[in-house]
Amino acid sequence: GQQLNQSPQSMFIQEGEDVSMNCTSSSIFNTWLWYKQDPGEGPVLLIALYKAGELTSNGRLTAQFGITRKDSFLNISASIPSDVGIYFCAGHPRSGGYQKVTFGTGTKLQVIP
Amino acid sequence: DAGVIQSPRHEVTEMGQEVTLRCKPISGHNSLFWYRQTMMRGLELLIYFNNNVPIDDSGMPEDRFSAKMPNASFSTLKIQPSEPRDSAVYFCASSLAREGYTFGSGTRLTVV
């Protein structure tokens, strides 16, 4: 089945730095979704992207739907301690309709105050 | 909107016992998903329902696992008998059409 390769697996950054993470697939996706999971909680949807090339922001977060429809990236600007968590990319593969979402393996972000 | 509600939040049980996890999806959502999360395997889709009908249960590990959705506002995931390797966080999520999922807070299951 489809797999999403997410990188990096983990990262340590200094508070105030910008962060970039990405997600790639071998097949085309119809939507891209970015989630954040805090410890002890379920993942929470941050940004949803529906069109190739789409660039969407949510506060300090910006995500883009790649032109090839096989990748997406998430940027966090001016990181703060509460950005700590695991970030998952996810999406609806073109072949799977809109019911079943494929998840990436996650990027664990640590912010050093 | 109370979101997706899961119960219990934590469950500790002895090997061989039956475990039932419960989920109330967001009202109006027509799809419901059960996921399992472990350090080794990440988020694994176990089963999902569309309009209360099971669509894909290929992720259910084995016959010890079963899931039901008797109506649009309630679903259960049952493990019988439970084994230590079933220890994980189990998430329920619901969605409507192409929107992203809304996850519950999860049930942390420990089988000793």
Side-chain angles (χ1 to χ4, degrees):
Chain A
Q2 288 88 1
Q3 285 190 324
L4 290 181
N5 300 308
Q6 201 170 337
S7 66
Q9 272 193 317
S10 64
M11 52 197 315
F12 285 81
I13 61 167
Q14 206 74 35
E15 182 178 357
E17 287 183 347
D18 296 345
V19 176
S20 184
M21 59 190 78
N22 65 70
C23 200
T24 60
S25 170
S26 58
S27 55
I28 288 174
F29 274 63
N30 285 336
T31 61
W32 284 97
L33 310 163
W34 285 93
Y35 285 83
K36 182 194 177 198
Q37 185 176 22
D38 290 326
E41 297 296 329
V44 174
L45 183 64
L46 299 173
I47 292 179
L49 303 159
Y50 299 106
K51 291 194 313 185
E54 181 180 352
L55 186 71
T56 297
S57 293
N58 178 5
R60 295 178 295 106
L61 277 60
T62 301
Q64 184 159 30
F65 192 137
I67 291 291
T68 65
R69 297 172 67 188
K70 293 183 179 181
D71 61 350
S72 177
F73 72 76
L74 175 70
N75 285 344
I76 305 172
S77 62
S79 59
I80 59 178
S82 62
D83 291 334
V84 164
I86 303 176
Y87 291 80
F88 291 98
C89 64
H92 293 105
R94 183 172 66 175
S95 60
Y98 287 108
Q99 292 178 356
K100 192 172 169 181
V101 165
T102 299
F103 279 85
T105 51
T107 293
K108 187 172 184 178
L109 177 65
Q110 305 269 34
V111 179
I112 304 166
Chain B
D1 187 351
V4 176
I5 299 173
Q6 288 187 247
S7 64
R9 283 299 307 267
H10 302 274
E11 176 82 31
V12 180
T13 191
E14 289 185 346
M15 183 173 64
Q17 296 297 306
E18 177 180 297
V19 175
T20 299
L21 312 181
R22 297 174 176 79
C23 175
K24 177 178 168 50
I26 290 175
S27 177
H29 281 190
N30 60 352
S31 295
L32 182 140
F33 307 82
W34 282 100
Y35 278 85
R36 177 170 68 177
Q37 187 177 38
T38 60
M39 289 290 292
M40 291 297 294
R41 301 171 71 94
L43 274 166
E44 300 176 275
L45 177 65
L46 300 177
I47 184 171
Y48 78 93
F49 296 82
N50 191 45
N51 295 322
N52 312 339
V53 176
I55 302 299
D56 183 353
D57 65 354
S58 59
M60 296 286 261
E62 47 200 271
D63 292 345
R64 298 184 298 106
F65 285 69
S66 62
K68 293 182 181 178
M69 191 165 186
N71 57 62
S73 59
F74 184 65
S75 177
T76 59
L77 177 68
K78 187 177 292 187
I79 307 173
Q80 165 64 15
S82 58
E83 297 182 2
R85 61 193 168 120
D86 301 330
S87 297
V89 181
Y90 290 80
F91 288 106
C92 175
S94 68
S95 74
L96 178 63
R98 71 187 296 197
E99 296 175 3
Y101 297 176
T102 300
F103 282 83
S105 297
T107 295
R108 181 173 294 277
L109 174 65
T110 303
V111 183
V112 298

